[in-house]
Amino acid sequence: MQVVATGHRAPVRPDHPFPLGGPQLPATAVSDGRGYVLVTSSNFTVYDAGPGWDRPVPGQMIAAGPAGWLVLSCDRSDRRCRRQVIDGANGSRRRLPGPVVAEPNYFSWPPTGVIAPDGSTAAVAEIGRHGLTAHLIDLRTGTPG
């Protein structure tokens, strides 16, 4: 079996063991948008995994797409959070401008948000006092798209 990603083929093992401390009970494996998978552990850490490798995704996964991921990165107290865009291919991070998110309500597994193929916009769902709201976020400016 082979997986095609970014124009090259890589051999795939039938099983992918994770090291101790890695994901132990993935609820669901979903596409990372680049041909590999995202899984979550019992403590809600999200991992990007492919043939023979895995790495934690820093922050709460909000949306995934071929150009990157949108995550919520919080301080140690989880009271002040900011949105970041992560390049899934190289892991580089860019914090989006905009207000601090005081009470994040985005996390769900699998993530409900999606990112446009060109990486310009994310569509995310948020559950609030008035029910479910879909937001479009411009991933260049951080403003509503």
Side-chain angles (χ1 to χ4, degrees):
M1 177 196 244
Q2 293 187 339
V3 172
V4 176
T6 62
H8 69 278
R9 294 182 181 269
V12 177
R13 295 175 29 192
D15 297 312
H16 179 78
F18 287 94
L20 291 176
Q24 300 301 310
L25 301 171
T28 307
V30 298
S31 171
D32 72 349
R34 300 178 308 113
Y36 301 115
V37 296
L38 296 167
V39 295
T40 185
S41 67
S42 56
N43 69 354
F44 301 110
T45 300
V46 176
Y47 290 83
D48 186 31
W53 58 270
D54 65 273
R55 62 181 171 169
V57 173
Q60 296 177 10
M61 179 68 69
I62 299 171
W69 311 317
L70 179 63
V71 302
L72 201 58
S73 179
C74 301
D75 65 13
R76 292 180 189 251
S77 68
D78 284 339
R79 294 175 193 244
R80 296 176 52 87
C81 303
R82 296 224 181 239
R83 293 179 297 206
Q84 286 187 338
V85 176
I86 298 177
D87 183 315
N90 64 27
S92 66
R93 303 178 208 178
R94 181 177 47 85
R95 186 165 57 178
L96 286 181
V100 171
V101 179
E103 296 181 26
N105 292 319
Y106 289 115
F107 189 79
S108 67
W109 192 257
T112 58
V114 295
I115 295 178
D118 66 1
S120 64
T121 308
V124 298
E126 181 179 15
I127 299 173
R129 290 184 288 217
H130 303 291
L132 182 67
T133 303
H135 298 279
L136 293 179
I137 300 170
D138 182 314
L139 295 181
R140 292 179 185 93
T141 66
T143 59

